[in-house]
PDB file of all heavy atoms in Angstrom:
ATOM      1  N   VAL Z  55     -21.790   2.824 -32.425  1.00 82.00           N
ATOM      2  CA  VAL Z  55     -21.436   2.368 -31.076  1.00 82.00           C
ATOM      3  C   VAL Z  55     -20.987   0.907 -31.124  1.00 82.00           C
ATOM      4  O   VAL Z  55     -20.033   0.510 -30.446  1.00 82.00           O
ATOM      5  CB  VAL Z  55     -22.615   2.541 -30.104  1.00 82.00           C
ATOM      6  CG1 VAL Z  55     -22.267   1.984 -28.727  1.00 82.00           C
ATOM      7  CG2 VAL Z  55     -23.003   4.013 -29.984  1.00 82.00           C
ATOM      8  N   VAL Z  56     -21.654   0.102 -31.945  1.00 86.00           N
ATOM      9  CA  VAL Z  56     -21.277  -1.303 -32.098  1.00 86.00           C
ATOM     10  C   VAL Z  56     -19.856  -1.412 -32.665  1.00 86.00           C
ATOM     11  O   VAL Z  56     -19.068  -2.270 -32.231  1.00 86.00           O
ATOM     12  CB  VAL Z  56     -22.273  -2.040 -33.025  1.00 86.00           C
ATOM     13  CG1 VAL Z  56     -21.790  -3.461 -33.312  1.00 86.00           C
ATOM     14  CG2 VAL Z  56     -23.655  -2.078 -32.392  1.00 86.00           C
ATOM     15  N   PHE Z  58     -17.430   0.434 -32.127  1.00 81.00           N
ATOM     16  CA  PHE Z  58     -16.503   0.641 -31.016  1.00 81.00           C
ATOM     17  C   PHE Z  58     -16.552  -0.526 -30.039  1.00 81.00           C
ATOM     18  O   PHE Z  58     -15.522  -1.007 -29.561  1.00 81.00           O
ATOM     19  CB  PHE Z  58     -16.857   1.949 -30.295  1.00 81.00           C
ATOM     20  CG  PHE Z  58     -16.056   2.197 -29.047  1.00 81.00           C
ATOM     21  CD1 PHE Z  58     -14.818   2.812 -29.113  1.00 81.00           C
ATOM     22  CD2 PHE Z  58     -16.533   1.824 -27.798  1.00 81.00           C
ATOM     23  CE1 PHE Z  58     -14.066   3.057 -27.963  1.00 81.00           C
ATOM     24  CE2 PHE Z  58     -15.807   2.059 -26.642  1.00 81.00           C
ATOM     25  CZ  PHE Z  58     -14.567   2.678 -26.728  1.00 81.00           C
ATOM     26  N   ALA Z  59     -17.766  -0.993 -29.739  1.00 79.00           N
ATOM     27  CA  ALA Z  59     -17.959  -1.966 -28.664  1.00 79.00           C
ATOM     28  C   ALA Z  59     -17.450  -3.364 -29.014  1.00 79.00           C
ATOM     29  O   ALA Z  59     -16.933  -4.071 -28.144  1.00 79.00           O
ATOM     30  CB  ALA Z  59     -19.438  -2.039 -28.289  1.00 79.00           C
ATOM     31  N   LEU Z  60     -17.605  -3.784 -30.265  1.00 83.00           N
ATOM     32  CA  LEU Z  60     -17.196  -5.142 -30.633  1.00 83.00           C
ATOM     33  C   LEU Z  60     -15.693  -5.347 -30.479  1.00 83.00           C
ATOM     34  O   LEU Z  60     -15.264  -6.303 -29.815  1.00 83.00           O
ATOM     35  CB  LEU Z  60     -17.651  -5.465 -32.056  1.00 83.00           C
ATOM     36  CG  LEU Z  60     -17.356  -6.894 -32.553  1.00 83.00           C
ATOM     37  CD1 LEU Z  60     -17.988  -7.931 -31.627  1.00 83.00           C
ATOM     38  CD2 LEU Z  60     -17.856  -7.085 -33.977  1.00 83.00           C
ATOM     39  N   PRO Z  61     -14.838  -4.483 -31.047  1.00 83.00           N
ATOM     40  CA  PRO Z  61     -13.400  -4.657 -30.791  1.00 83.00           C
ATOM     41  C   PRO Z  61     -13.031  -4.430 -29.328  1.00 83.00           C
ATOM     42  O   PRO Z  61     -12.100  -5.068 -28.820  1.00 83.00           O
ATOM     43  CB  PRO Z  61     -12.743  -3.613 -31.700  1.00 83.00           C
ATOM     44  CG  PRO Z  61     -13.802  -2.645 -32.050  1.00 83.00           C
ATOM     45  CD  PRO Z  61     -15.080  -3.411 -32.034  1.00 83.00           C
ATOM     46  N   GLN Z  62     -13.766  -3.551 -28.623  1.00 76.00           N
ATOM     47  CA  GLN Z  62     -13.482  -3.362 -27.203  1.00 76.00           C
ATOM     48  C   GLN Z  62     -13.796  -4.637 -26.423  1.00 76.00           C
ATOM     49  O   GLN Z  62     -13.061  -5.012 -25.508  1.00 76.00           O
ATOM     50  CB  GLN Z  62     -14.291  -2.195 -26.633  1.00 76.00           C
ATOM     51  CG  GLN Z  62     -13.897  -1.862 -25.190  1.00 76.00           C
ATOM     52  CD  GLN Z  62     -14.738  -0.768 -24.590  1.00 76.00           C
ATOM     53  OE1 GLN Z  62     -15.959  -0.848 -24.584  1.00 76.00           O
ATOM     54  NE2 GLN Z  62     -14.095   0.259 -24.074  1.00 76.00           N
ATOM     55  N   PHE Z  63     -14.879  -5.317 -26.786  1.00 77.00           N
ATOM     56  CA  PHE Z  63     -15.246  -6.578 -26.149  1.00 77.00           C
ATOM     57  C   PHE Z  63     -14.144  -7.608 -26.320  1.00 77.00           C
ATOM     58  O   PHE Z  63     -13.807  -8.356 -25.397  1.00 77.00           O
ATOM     59  CB  PHE Z  63     -16.556  -7.096 -26.745  1.00 77.00           C
ATOM     60  CG  PHE Z  63     -16.952  -8.464 -26.279  1.00 77.00           C
ATOM     61  CD1 PHE Z  63     -17.361  -8.677 -24.974  1.00 77.00           C
ATOM     62  CD2 PHE Z  63     -16.918  -9.542 -27.143  1.00 77.00           C
ATOM     63  CE1 PHE Z  63     -17.729  -9.941 -24.541  1.00 77.00           C
ATOM     64  CE2 PHE Z  63     -17.289 -10.807 -26.727  1.00 77.00           C
ATOM     65  CZ  PHE Z  63     -17.693 -11.009 -25.413  1.00 77.00           C
ATOM     66  N   ILE Z  64     -13.546  -7.637 -27.513  1.00 78.00           N
ATOM     67  CA  ILE Z  64     -12.502  -8.618 -27.811  1.00 78.00           C
ATOM     68  C   ILE Z  64     -11.182  -8.254 -27.143  1.00 78.00           C
ATOM     69  O   ILE Z  64     -10.489  -9.102 -26.579  1.00 78.00           O
ATOM     70  CB  ILE Z  64     -12.310  -8.742 -29.339  1.00 78.00           C
ATOM     71  CG1 ILE Z  64     -13.588  -9.300 -29.984  1.00 78.00           C
ATOM     72  CG2 ILE Z  64     -11.110  -9.638 -29.666  1.00 78.00           C
ATOM     73  CD1 ILE Z  64     -13.582  -9.235 -31.502  1.00 78.00           C
ATOM     74  N   PHE Z  65     -10.838  -6.959 -27.165  1.00 79.00           N
ATOM     75  CA  PHE Z  65      -9.498  -6.537 -26.744  1.00 79.00           C
ATOM     76  C   PHE Z  65      -9.408  -6.090 -25.286  1.00 79.00           C
ATOM     77  O   PHE Z  65      -8.298  -6.057 -24.731  1.00 79.00           O
ATOM     78  CB  PHE Z  65      -8.994  -5.414 -27.649  1.00 79.00           C
ATOM     79  CG  PHE Z  65      -8.520  -5.886 -28.990  1.00 79.00           C
ATOM     80  CD1 PHE Z  65      -9.400  -5.948 -30.062  1.00 79.00           C
ATOM     81  CD2 PHE Z  65      -7.214  -6.294 -29.187  1.00 79.00           C
ATOM     82  CE1 PHE Z  65      -8.985  -6.390 -31.305  1.00 79.00           C
ATOM     83  CE2 PHE Z  65      -6.783  -6.740 -30.422  1.00 79.00           C
ATOM     84  CZ  PHE Z  65      -7.671  -6.794 -31.489  1.00 79.00           C
ATOM     85  N   SER Z  66     -10.529  -5.739 -24.630  1.00 75.00           N
ATOM     86  CA  SER Z  66     -10.424  -5.248 -23.248  1.00 75.00           C
ATOM     87  C   SER Z  66      -9.859  -6.291 -22.277  1.00 75.00           C
ATOM     88  O   SER Z  66      -9.067  -5.934 -21.393  1.00 75.00           O
ATOM     89  CB  SER Z  66     -11.773  -4.718 -22.756  1.00 75.00           C
ATOM     90  OG  SER Z  66     -12.756  -5.711 -22.774  1.00 75.00           O
ATOM     91  N   PRO Z  67     -10.193  -7.592 -22.400  1.00 75.00           N
ATOM     92  CA  PRO Z  67      -9.535  -8.564 -21.521  1.00 75.00           C
ATOM     93  C   PRO Z  67      -8.034  -8.671 -21.783  1.00 75.00           C
ATOM     94  O   PRO Z  67      -7.256  -8.918 -20.861  1.00 75.00           O
ATOM     95  CB  PRO Z  67     -10.249  -9.890 -21.851  1.00 75.00           C
ATOM     96  CG  PRO Z  67     -11.534  -9.496 -22.470  1.00 75.00           C
ATOM     97  CD  PRO Z  67     -11.236  -8.238 -23.214  1.00 75.00           C
ATOM     98  N   PRO Z 206     -12.514 -12.584 -24.176  1.00 66.00           N
ATOM     99  CA  PRO Z 206     -13.773 -12.261 -23.506  1.00 66.00           C
ATOM    100  C   PRO Z 206     -14.424 -13.457 -22.829  1.00 66.00           C
ATOM    101  O   PRO Z 206     -14.867 -13.374 -21.685  1.00 66.00           O
ATOM    102  CB  PRO Z 206     -14.660 -11.726 -24.633  1.00 66.00           C
ATOM    103  CG  PRO Z 206     -13.777 -11.501 -25.786  1.00 66.00           C
ATOM    104  CD  PRO Z 206     -12.510 -12.233 -25.582  1.00 66.00           C
ATOM    105  N   ILE Z 207     -14.449 -14.579 -23.528  1.00 69.00           N
ATOM    106  CA  ILE Z 207     -15.093 -15.765 -22.967  1.00 69.00           C
ATOM    107  C   ILE Z 207     -14.224 -16.335 -21.854  1.00 69.00           C
ATOM    108  O   ILE Z 207     -14.720 -16.732 -20.794  1.00 69.00           O
ATOM    109  CB  ILE Z 207     -15.339 -16.830 -24.063  1.00 69.00           C
ATOM    110  CG1 ILE Z 207     -16.110 -16.214 -25.235  1.00 69.00           C
ATOM    111  CG2 ILE Z 207     -16.080 -18.017 -23.477  1.00 69.00           C
ATOM    112  CD1 ILE Z 207     -17.438 -15.603 -24.844  1.00 69.00           C
ATOM    113  N   LEU Z 210     -14.510 -14.277 -18.597  1.00 66.00           N
ATOM    114  CA  LEU Z 210     -15.755 -14.551 -17.880  1.00 66.00           C
ATOM    115  C   LEU Z 210     -15.738 -15.964 -17.298  1.00 66.00           C
ATOM    116  O   LEU Z 210     -16.271 -16.205 -16.210  1.00 66.00           O
ATOM    117  CB  LEU Z 210     -16.952 -14.370 -18.823  1.00 66.00           C
ATOM    118  CG  LEU Z 210     -17.153 -12.943 -19.356  1.00 66.00           C
ATOM    119  CD1 LEU Z 210     -18.297 -12.899 -20.345  1.00 66.00           C
ATOM    120  CD2 LEU Z 210     -17.404 -11.971 -18.204  1.00 66.00           C
ATOM    121  N   MET Z 223     -22.940 -10.421 -12.178  1.00 86.00           N
ATOM    122  CA  MET Z 223     -22.731 -10.031 -13.569  1.00 86.00           C
ATOM    123  C   MET Z 223     -24.056 -10.041 -14.353  1.00 86.00           C
ATOM    124  O   MET Z 223     -24.203  -9.309 -15.332  1.00 86.00           O
ATOM    125  CB  MET Z 223     -21.735 -10.977 -14.247  1.00 86.00           C
ATOM    126  CG  MET Z 223     -20.279 -10.730 -13.885  1.00 86.00           C
ATOM    127  SD  MET Z 223     -19.639  -9.215 -14.626  1.00 86.00           S
ATOM    128  CE  MET Z 223     -17.905  -9.323 -14.171  1.00 86.00           C
ATOM    129  N   VAL Z 224     -25.015 -10.862 -13.933  1.00 89.00           N
ATOM    130  CA  VAL Z 224     -26.291 -10.974 -14.659  1.00 89.00           C
ATOM    131  C   VAL Z 224     -27.104  -9.679 -14.547  1.00 89.00           C
ATOM    132  O   VAL Z 224     -27.473  -9.087 -15.575  1.00 89.00           O
ATOM    133  CB  VAL Z 224     -27.102 -12.188 -14.168  1.00 89.00           C
ATOM    134  CG1 VAL Z 224     -28.464 -12.239 -14.880  1.00 89.00           C
ATOM    135  CG2 VAL Z 224     -26.327 -13.479 -14.407  1.00 89.00           C
ATOM    136  N   LEU Z 226     -25.957  -6.838 -13.697  1.00 89.00           N
ATOM    137  CA  LEU Z 226     -25.096  -5.794 -14.258  1.00 89.00           C
ATOM    138  C   LEU Z 226     -25.248  -5.744 -15.780  1.00 89.00           C
ATOM    139  O   LEU Z 226     -25.349  -4.667 -16.375  1.00 89.00           O
ATOM    140  CB  LEU Z 226     -23.638  -6.062 -13.889  1.00 89.00           C
ATOM    141  CG  LEU Z 226     -22.628  -4.988 -14.297  1.00 89.00           C
ATOM    142  CD1 LEU Z 226     -22.839  -3.722 -13.490  1.00 89.00           C
ATOM    143  CD2 LEU Z 226     -21.196  -5.498 -14.107  1.00 89.00           C
ATOM    144  N   PHE Z 227     -25.299  -6.917 -16.399  1.00 90.00           N
ATOM    145  CA  PHE Z 227     -25.499  -7.001 -17.847  1.00 90.00           C
ATOM    146  C   PHE Z 227     -26.829  -6.362 -18.249  1.00 90.00           C
ATOM    147  O   PHE Z 227     -26.895  -5.572 -19.201  1.00 90.00           O
ATOM    148  CB  PHE Z 227     -25.459  -8.474 -18.286  1.00 90.00           C
ATOM    149  CG  PHE Z 227     -25.803  -8.694 -19.737  1.00 90.00           C
ATOM    150  CD1 PHE Z 227     -24.813  -8.596 -20.711  1.00 90.00           C
ATOM    151  CD2 PHE Z 227     -27.095  -9.002 -20.131  1.00 90.00           C
ATOM    152  CE1 PHE Z 227     -25.123  -8.800 -22.044  1.00 90.00           C
ATOM    153  CE2 PHE Z 227     -27.408  -9.195 -21.471  1.00 90.00           C
ATOM    154  CZ  PHE Z 227     -26.423  -9.101 -22.425  1.00 90.00           C
ATOM    155  N   LEU Z 228     -27.895  -6.686 -17.530  1.00 94.00           N
ATOM    156  CA  LEU Z 228     -29.215  -6.140 -17.850  1.00 94.00           C
ATOM    157  C   LEU Z 228     -29.264  -4.628 -17.642  1.00 94.00           C
ATOM    158  O   LEU Z 228     -29.901  -3.902 -18.418  1.00 94.00           O
ATOM    159  CB  LEU Z 228     -30.287  -6.827 -17.006  1.00 94.00           C
ATOM    160  CG  LEU Z 228     -30.531  -8.309 -17.309  1.00 94.00           C
ATOM    161  CD1 LEU Z 228     -31.533  -8.901 -16.313  1.00 94.00           C
ATOM    162  CD2 LEU Z 228     -31.046  -8.495 -18.734  1.00 94.00           C
ATOM    163  N   LEU Z 229     -28.594  -4.150 -16.592  1.00 93.00           N
ATOM    164  CA  LEU Z 229     -28.560  -2.711 -16.330  1.00 93.00           C
ATOM    165  C   LEU Z 229     -27.824  -1.975 -17.451  1.00 93.00           C
ATOM    166  O   LEU Z 229     -28.308  -0.943 -17.946  1.00 93.00           O
ATOM    167  CB  LEU Z 229     -27.876  -2.435 -14.987  1.00 93.00           C
ATOM    168  CG  LEU Z 229     -27.716  -0.958 -14.609  1.00 93.00           C
ATOM    169  CD1 LEU Z 229     -29.073  -0.285 -14.439  1.00 93.00           C
ATOM    170  CD2 LEU Z 229     -26.881  -0.813 -13.343  1.00 93.00           C
ATOM    171  N   TYR Z 230     -26.661  -2.491 -17.844  1.00 90.00           N
ATOM    172  CA  TYR Z 230     -25.911  -1.867 -18.931  1.00 90.00           C
ATOM    173  C   TYR Z 230     -26.713  -1.886 -20.232  1.00 90.00           C
ATOM    174  O   TYR Z 230     -26.713  -0.912 -20.994  1.00 90.00           O
ATOM    175  CB  TYR Z 230     -24.579  -2.597 -19.155  1.00 90.00           C
ATOM    176  CG  TYR Z 230     -23.510  -2.297 -18.135  1.00 90.00           C
ATOM    177  CD1 TYR Z 230     -22.469  -3.203 -17.899  1.00 90.00           C
ATOM    178  CD2 TYR Z 230     -23.502  -1.104 -17.419  1.00 90.00           C
ATOM    179  CE1 TYR Z 230     -21.458  -2.926 -16.990  1.00 90.00           C
ATOM    180  CE2 TYR Z 230     -22.497  -0.831 -16.502  1.00 90.00           C
ATOM    181  CZ  TYR Z 230     -21.489  -1.744 -16.286  1.00 90.00           C
ATOM    182  OH  TYR Z 230     -20.495  -1.462 -15.372  1.00 90.00           O
ATOM    183  N   LEU Z 231     -27.394  -3.004 -20.494  1.00 93.00           N
ATOM    184  CA  LEU Z 231     -28.207  -3.117 -21.709  1.00 93.00           C
ATOM    185  C   LEU Z 231     -29.322  -2.079 -21.693  1.00 93.00           C
ATOM    186  O   LEU Z 231     -29.558  -1.382 -22.687  1.00 93.00           O
ATOM    187  CB  LEU Z 231     -28.784  -4.529 -21.808  1.00 93.00           C
ATOM    188  CG  LEU Z 231     -29.502  -4.896 -23.111  1.00 93.00           C
ATOM    189  CD1 LEU Z 231     -28.527  -4.903 -24.271  1.00 93.00           C
ATOM    190  CD2 LEU Z 231     -30.176  -6.265 -22.979  1.00 93.00           C
ATOM    191  N   ALA Z 232     -30.000  -1.965 -20.564  1.00 95.00           N
ATOM    192  CA  ALA Z 232     -31.104  -1.015 -20.435  1.00 95.00           C
ATOM    193  C   ALA Z 232     -30.632   0.421 -20.559  1.00 95.00           C
ATOM    194  O   ALA Z 232     -31.336   1.284 -21.103  1.00 95.00           O
ATOM    195  CB  ALA Z 232     -31.804  -1.220 -19.093  1.00 95.00           C
ATOM    196  N   SER Z 233     -29.431   0.704 -20.058  1.00 92.00           N
ATOM    197  CA  SER Z 233     -28.936   2.088 -20.034  1.00 92.00           C
ATOM    198  C   SER Z 233     -28.788   2.684 -21.433  1.00 92.00           C
ATOM    199  O   SER Z 233     -28.806   3.905 -21.598  1.00 92.00           O
ATOM    200  CB  SER Z 233     -27.598   2.158 -19.300  1.00 92.00           C
ATOM    201  OG  SER Z 233     -26.568   1.536 -20.060  1.00 92.00           O
ATOM    202  N   HIS Z 234     -28.688   1.839 -22.457  1.00 92.00           N
ATOM    203  CA  HIS Z 234     -28.551   2.352 -23.819  1.00 92.00           C
ATOM    204  C   HIS Z 234     -29.840   2.968 -24.333  1.00 92.00           C
ATOM    205  O   HIS Z 234     -29.817   3.684 -25.349  1.00 92.00           O
ATOM    206  CB  HIS Z 234     -28.058   1.252 -24.757  1.00 92.00           C
ATOM    207  CG  HIS Z 234     -26.598   0.975 -24.604  1.00 92.00           C
ATOM    208  ND1 HIS Z 234     -25.617   1.825 -25.070  1.00 92.00           N
ATOM    209  CD2 HIS Z 234     -25.938  -0.034 -23.976  1.00 92.00           C
ATOM    210  CE1 HIS Z 234     -24.427   1.346 -24.771  1.00 92.00           C
ATOM    211  NE2 HIS Z 234     -24.590   0.227 -24.109  1.00 92.00           N
ATOM    212  N   GLY Z 345     -11.375  -6.129 -16.553  1.00 65.00           N
ATOM    213  CA  GLY Z 345     -11.501  -6.553 -17.944  1.00 65.00           C
ATOM    214  C   GLY Z 345     -12.799  -7.294 -18.195  1.00 65.00           C
ATOM    215  O   GLY Z 345     -13.449  -7.113 -19.226  1.00 65.00           O
ATOM    216  N   GLY Z 346     -13.186  -8.137 -17.237  1.00 73.00           N
ATOM    217  CA  GLY Z 346     -14.452  -8.857 -17.360  1.00 73.00           C
ATOM    218  C   GLY Z 346     -15.641  -7.929 -17.328  1.00 73.00           C
ATOM    219  O   GLY Z 346     -16.606  -8.091 -18.098  1.00 73.00           O
ATOM    220  N   MET Z 347     -15.595  -6.928 -16.444  1.00 76.00           N
ATOM    221  CA  MET Z 347     -16.691  -5.960 -16.367  1.00 76.00           C
ATOM    222  C   MET Z 347     -16.778  -5.130 -17.641  1.00 76.00           C
ATOM    223  O   MET Z 347     -17.872  -4.837 -18.137  1.00 76.00           O
ATOM    224  CB  MET Z 347     -16.498  -5.052 -15.151  1.00 76.00           C
ATOM    225  CG  MET Z 347     -16.685  -5.761 -13.824  1.00 76.00           C
ATOM    226  SD  MET Z 347     -16.449  -4.673 -12.402  1.00 76.00           S
ATOM    227  CE  MET Z 347     -17.861  -3.584 -12.584  1.00 76.00           C
ATOM    228  N   THR Z 348     -15.613  -4.753 -18.189  1.00 68.00           N
ATOM    229  CA  THR Z 348     -15.611  -4.010 -19.451  1.00 68.00           C
ATOM    230  C   THR Z 348     -16.120  -4.878 -20.584  1.00 68.00           C
ATOM    231  O   THR Z 348     -16.800  -4.391 -21.499  1.00 68.00           O
ATOM    232  CB  THR Z 348     -14.197  -3.486 -19.764  1.00 68.00           C
ATOM    233  OG1 THR Z 348     -13.756  -2.674 -18.678  1.00 68.00           O
ATOM    234  CG2 THR Z 348     -14.188  -2.664 -21.034  1.00 68.00           C
ATOM    235  N   SER Z 349     -15.809  -6.188 -20.544  1.00 71.00           N
ATOM    236  CA  SER Z 349     -16.332  -7.109 -21.557  1.00 71.00           C
ATOM    237  C   SER Z 349     -17.854  -7.166 -21.498  1.00 71.00           C
ATOM    238  O   SER Z 349     -18.528  -7.171 -22.536  1.00 71.00           O
ATOM    239  CB  SER Z 349     -15.751  -8.511 -21.356  1.00 71.00           C
ATOM    240  OG  SER Z 349     -14.379  -8.537 -21.667  1.00 71.00           O
ATOM    241  N   ILE Z 350     -18.389  -7.198 -20.281  1.00 79.00           N
ATOM    242  CA  ILE Z 350     -19.849  -7.187 -20.123  1.00 79.00           C
ATOM    243  C   ILE Z 350     -20.426  -5.887 -20.672  1.00 79.00           C
ATOM    244  O   ILE Z 350     -21.441  -5.880 -21.402  1.00 79.00           O
ATOM    245  CB  ILE Z 350     -20.232  -7.350 -18.631  1.00 79.00           C
ATOM    246  CG1 ILE Z 350     -19.952  -8.774 -18.160  1.00 79.00           C
ATOM    247  CG2 ILE Z 350     -21.697  -7.006 -18.405  1.00 79.00           C
ATOM    248  CD1 ILE Z 350     -20.862  -9.821 -18.747  1.00 79.00           C
ATOM    249  N   MET Z 351     -19.788  -4.766 -20.325  1.00 77.00           N
ATOM    250  CA  MET Z 351     -20.246  -3.474 -20.809  1.00 77.00           C
ATOM    251  C   MET Z 351     -20.191  -3.410 -22.337  1.00 77.00           C
ATOM    252  O   MET Z 351     -21.123  -2.925 -22.992  1.00 77.00           O
ATOM    253  CB  MET Z 351     -19.401  -2.359 -20.204  1.00 77.00           C
ATOM    254  CG  MET Z 351     -19.907  -0.959 -20.514  1.00 77.00           C
ATOM    255  SD  MET Z 351     -18.823   0.356 -19.875  1.00 77.00           S
ATOM    256  CE  MET Z 351     -18.900   0.013 -18.120  1.00 77.00           C
ATOM    257  N   SER Z 352     -19.086  -3.915 -22.894  1.00 72.00           N
ATOM    258  CA  SER Z 352     -18.932  -3.898 -24.348  1.00 72.00           C
ATOM    259  C   SER Z 352     -19.928  -4.826 -25.024  1.00 72.00           C
ATOM    260  O   SER Z 352     -20.444  -4.517 -26.098  1.00 72.00           O
ATOM    261  CB  SER Z 352     -17.506  -4.309 -24.727  1.00 72.00           C
ATOM    262  OG  SER Z 352     -16.566  -3.426 -24.172  1.00 72.00           O
ATOM    263  N   LEU Z 353     -20.197  -5.966 -24.391  1.00 81.00           N
ATOM    264  CA  LEU Z 353     -21.171  -6.909 -24.946  1.00 81.00           C
ATOM    265  C   LEU Z 353     -22.552  -6.262 -25.029  1.00 81.00           C
ATOM    266  O   LEU Z 353     -23.260  -6.411 -26.034  1.00 81.00           O
ATOM    267  CB  LEU Z 353     -21.218  -8.167 -24.075  1.00 81.00           C
ATOM    268  CG  LEU Z 353     -21.951  -9.385 -24.646  1.00 81.00           C
ATOM    269  CD1 LEU Z 353     -21.314  -9.843 -25.945  1.00 81.00           C
ATOM    270  CD2 LEU Z 353     -21.971 -10.521 -23.633  1.00 81.00           C
ATOM    271  N   THR Z 354     -22.925  -5.530 -23.986  1.00 87.00           N
ATOM    272  CA  THR Z 354     -24.227  -4.843 -24.030  1.00 87.00           C
ATOM    273  C   THR Z 354     -24.201  -3.700 -25.040  1.00 87.00           C
ATOM    274  O   THR Z 354     -25.240  -3.360 -25.611  1.00 87.00           O
ATOM    275  CB  THR Z 354     -24.605  -4.283 -22.644  1.00 87.00           C
ATOM    276  OG1 THR Z 354     -23.616  -3.341 -22.209  1.00 87.00           O
ATOM    277  CG2 THR Z 354     -24.722  -5.390 -21.619  1.00 87.00           C
ATOM    278  N   SER Z 355     -23.007  -3.127 -25.281  1.00 81.00           N
ATOM    279  CA  SER Z 355     -22.898  -2.061 -26.284  1.00 81.00           C
ATOM    280  C   SER Z 355     -22.929  -2.608 -27.702  1.00 81.00           C
ATOM    281  O   SER Z 355     -23.101  -1.844 -28.655  1.00 81.00           O
ATOM    282  CB  SER Z 355     -21.604  -1.267 -26.070  1.00 81.00           C
ATOM    283  OG  SER Z 355     -21.623  -0.602 -24.832  1.00 81.00           O
ATOM    284  N   ILE Z 356     -22.751  -3.913 -27.845  1.00 87.00           N
ATOM    285  CA  ILE Z 356     -22.898  -4.546 -29.155  1.00 87.00           C
ATOM    286  C   ILE Z 356     -24.376  -4.733 -29.478  1.00 87.00           C
ATOM    287  O   ILE Z 356     -24.832  -4.488 -30.600  1.00 87.00           O
ATOM    288  CB  ILE Z 356     -22.170  -5.900 -29.192  1.00 87.00           C
ATOM    289  CG1 ILE Z 356     -20.663  -5.688 -29.078  1.00 87.00           C
ATOM    290  CG2 ILE Z 356     -22.491  -6.672 -30.474  1.00 87.00           C
ATOM    291  CD1 ILE Z 356     -19.870  -6.959 -28.846  1.00 87.00           C
ATOM    292  N   PHE Z 357     -25.146  -5.130 -28.476  1.00 91.00           N
ATOM    293  CA  PHE Z 357     -26.568  -5.409 -28.695  1.00 91.00           C
ATOM    294  C   PHE Z 357     -27.477  -4.229 -28.346  1.00 91.00           C
ATOM    295  O   PHE Z 357     -28.506  -4.021 -28.991  1.00 91.00           O
ATOM    296  CB  PHE Z 357     -26.989  -6.633 -27.869  1.00 91.00           C
ATOM    297  CG  PHE Z 357     -26.261  -7.890 -28.237  1.00 91.00           C
ATOM    298  CD1 PHE Z 357     -25.296  -8.420 -27.406  1.00 91.00           C
ATOM    299  CD2 PHE Z 357     -26.530  -8.540 -29.429  1.00 91.00           C
ATOM    300  CE1 PHE Z 357     -24.611  -9.581 -27.740  1.00 91.00           C
ATOM    301  CE2 PHE Z 357     -25.859  -9.699 -29.779  1.00 91.00           C
ATOM    302  CZ  PHE Z 357     -24.899 -10.221 -28.935  1.00 91.00           C
ATOM    303  N   GLY Z 358     -27.096  -3.442 -27.320  1.00 91.00           N
ATOM    304  CA  GLY Z 358     -27.971  -2.393 -26.821  1.00 91.00           C
ATOM    305  C   GLY Z 358     -28.255  -1.269 -27.807  1.00 91.00           C
ATOM    306  O   GLY Z 358     -29.426  -0.976 -28.091  1.00 91.00           O
ATOM    307  N   PRO Z 359     -27.214  -0.591 -28.346  1.00 89.00           N
ATOM    308  CA  PRO Z 359     -27.482   0.541 -29.243  1.00 89.00           C
ATOM    309  C   PRO Z 359     -28.302   0.191 -30.487  1.00 89.00           C
ATOM    310  O   PRO Z 359     -29.277   0.897 -30.790  1.00 89.00           O
ATOM    311  CB  PRO Z 359     -26.077   1.032 -29.602  1.00 89.00           C
ATOM    312  CG  PRO Z 359     -25.245   0.626 -28.441  1.00 89.00           C
ATOM    313  CD  PRO Z 359     -25.795  -0.696 -28.004  1.00 89.00           C
ATOM    314  N   PRO Z 360     -27.954  -0.872 -31.244  1.00 91.00           N
ATOM    315  CA  PRO Z 360     -28.814  -1.167 -32.402  1.00 91.00           C
ATOM    316  C   PRO Z 360     -30.228  -1.559 -31.996  1.00 91.00           C
ATOM    317  O   PRO Z 360     -31.191  -1.226 -32.691  1.00 91.00           O
ATOM    318  CB  PRO Z 360     -28.088  -2.323 -33.112  1.00 91.00           C
ATOM    319  CG  PRO Z 360     -27.178  -2.905 -32.105  1.00 91.00           C
ATOM    320  CD  PRO Z 360     -26.792  -1.793 -31.192  1.00 91.00           C
ATOM    321  N   MET Z 361     -30.357  -2.254 -30.856  1.00 94.00           N
ATOM    322  CA  MET Z 361     -31.694  -2.642 -30.394  1.00 94.00           C
ATOM    323  C   MET Z 361     -32.513  -1.410 -30.022  1.00 94.00           C
ATOM    324  O   MET Z 361     -33.649  -1.226 -30.488  1.00 94.00           O
ATOM    325  CB  MET Z 361     -31.577  -3.581 -29.193  1.00 94.00           C
ATOM    326  CG  MET Z 361     -32.914  -4.020 -28.620  1.00 94.00           C
ATOM    327  SD  MET Z 361     -32.735  -5.287 -27.335  1.00 94.00           S
ATOM    328  CE  MET Z 361     -31.986  -4.320 -26.015  1.00 94.00           C
TER     329      MET Z 361
END
Side-chain angles (χ1 to χ4, degrees):
V55 176
V56 174
F58 174 86
L60 183 57
Q62 187 183 54
F63 173 69
I64 296 170
F65 283 91
S66 60
I207 306 303
L210 296 176
M223 283 288 186
V224 177
L226 185 69
F227 174 86
L228 293 175
L229 178 63
Y230 284 156
L231 188 65
S233 70
H234 284 286
M347 291 180 67
T348 303
S349 291
I350 288 291
M351 187 184 299
S352 300
L353 193 60
T354 60
S355 296
I356 293 169
F357 298 107
M361 179 173 70

